[in-house]
Amino acid sequence: MTSKDPKSICLAYLEAFGKKDFGKLEQLLAPELQFKGPATARSGAQSHIGVLKRLGSVLLRNEVKRVFVDGSEVCVIYDFVTDTPMGAAPIVEWLRVEDGRIQSVWLLFDRQPWPAVMEEVSRRTGPAPELHSRSTPG
Amino acid sequence: MMARETDSTLAVVRAYDGGWTSQNFDQAVRLLAADLKVEVPINDYPTAESFARALVGFGGLVKTVTLLAEFAKGNEAMLLYDMEVDRLGKLRIAEHFTVADGRIVRIRQIHDTASLGDAGFA
């Protein structure tokens, strides 16, 4: 059972992603989720979960470093720890929660090391669907 | 107690941000502690002076800054903003501050360096 406060929901989202519990992720994300990363934007929880499933193939865990909360908005600094030569990538995620679900995700990270990681993701999970074929996850 | 510390942290960070984004660099630099630690994805600033020089140099190229969100808790604060930079274009930055005794003792930036390298900043 996840508490309905925004901080708990956002931490549960990162934990579920780290554990590759995509059923749990579906419960935490609003169906009409809006995502914005450094290079792309997408709509819909299913589209976002599709990307997270592929990234899960290299993810060891998410290590949360800091959490800030302002009403329904949460900002998390964490390391996305992979089993690739990149190792850990620092990520900032700014999330908005309403009615117990994450409505929007704003993600910031350095894209520089990601093309090699995404090549490894493709090697492990097969060619990316056209929607997810970028050389970075966001 | 925590709320008062949070307010004071935000006041310092806002004054720093307001200083350098309005090219009032003296105001911004006065808020940096002598033993400032800086963690950025590119370049290296071992001293407060070296960071202050970079702030003045880079800040002079910044055309607009749009603050997207600010968060604070205790002696730490986070600013998320978009910048329009001469020769570079748009840059999105997350900046994490730690404040002690009214001055910034640590700055950590997370941003995308792809375009910085292309523009010769790295």
Side-chain angles (χ1 to χ4, degrees):
Chain A
M1 186 67 185
T2 303
S3 161
K4 281 205 164 184
D5 79 273
K7 179 179 174 180
S8 301
I9 288 167
C10 294
L11 292 178
Y13 155 76
L14 288 174
E15 187 182 352
F17 179 29
K19 291 180 174 170
K20 291 129 191 173
D21 182 349
F22 298 107
K24 178 79 173 175
L25 277 179
E26 199 165 349
Q27 294 169 23
L28 293 165
L29 298 174
E32 65 283 7
L33 175 85
Q34 297 295 311
F35 171 89
K36 189 167 189 188
T40 193
R42 54 182 173 258
S43 300
Q46 288 308 323
S47 163
H48 188 54
I49 290 171
V51 175
L52 299 188
K53 278 182 178 169
R54 290 177 54 76
L55 289 171
S57 67
V58 296
L59 175 63
L60 292 175
R61 63 190 174 278
N62 290 316
E63 284 181 6
V64 174
K65 302 296 185 183
R66 289 287 189 285
V67 185
F68 298 90
V69 182
D70 184 7
S72 62
E73 298 183 13
V74 178
C75 184
V76 187
I77 306 174
Y78 65 96
D79 280 352
F80 181 92
V81 184
T82 73
D83 63 0
T84 71
M86 176 181 76
I91 307 265
V92 173
E93 200 152 345
W94 170 28
L95 310 110
R96 187 171 52 81
V97 177
E98 278 173 27
D99 301 325
R101 289 188 178 217
I102 296 166
Q103 306 287 328
S104 67
V105 172
W106 180 100
L107 195 71
L108 185 57
F109 59 90
D110 187 1
R111 284 183 293 158
Q112 203 86 292
W114 278 94
V117 177
M118 295 311 283
E119 258 182 48
E120 180 60 18
V121 168
S122 290
R123 197 183 65 75
R124 294 183 191 183
T125 64
E130 195 177 336
L131 182 65
H132 308 146
S133 64
R134 291 174 179 273
S135 58
T136 71
Chain B
M1 187 69 179
M2 172 76 115
R4 191 182 301 172
E5 186 182 25
T6 300
D7 289 347
S8 151
T9 296
L10 255 185
V12 170
V13 169
R14 282 174 177 161
Y16 165 79
D17 187 60
W20 82 263
T21 58
S22 63
Q23 308 220 350
N24 184 352
F25 297 111
D26 286 345
Q27 174 183 313
V29 169
R30 271 199 302 271
L31 292 165
L32 300 176
D35 58 349
L36 174 75
K37 300 280 180 276
V38 178
E39 294 174 40
V40 289
I42 51 170
N43 297 330
D44 191 26
Y45 304 107
T47 63
E49 289 75 20
S50 61
F51 182 72
R53 279 195 299 274
L55 186 68
V56 173
F58 184 77
L61 301 174
V62 174
K63 293 195 276 192
T64 61
V65 178
T66 306
L67 184 65
L68 303 173
E70 60 178 21
F71 297 86
K73 183 181 173 188
N75 69 336
E76 297 185 26
M78 191 87 192
L79 299 183
L80 310 179
Y81 53 88
D82 281 338
M83 291 193 301
E84 187 78 32
V85 184
D86 200 21
R87 292 196 283 140
L88 179 63
K90 287 183 181 167
L91 187 64
R92 177 156 286 186
I93 303 235
E95 204 160 17
H96 178 203
F97 300 90
T98 306
V99 172
D101 299 325
R103 293 194 180 206
I104 296 165
V105 294
R106 180 175 177 264
I107 295 177
R108 184 187 189 200
Q109 290 181 353
I110 295 175
H111 59 80
D112 187 13
T113 63
S115 50
L116 284 171
D118 295 344
F121 287 94

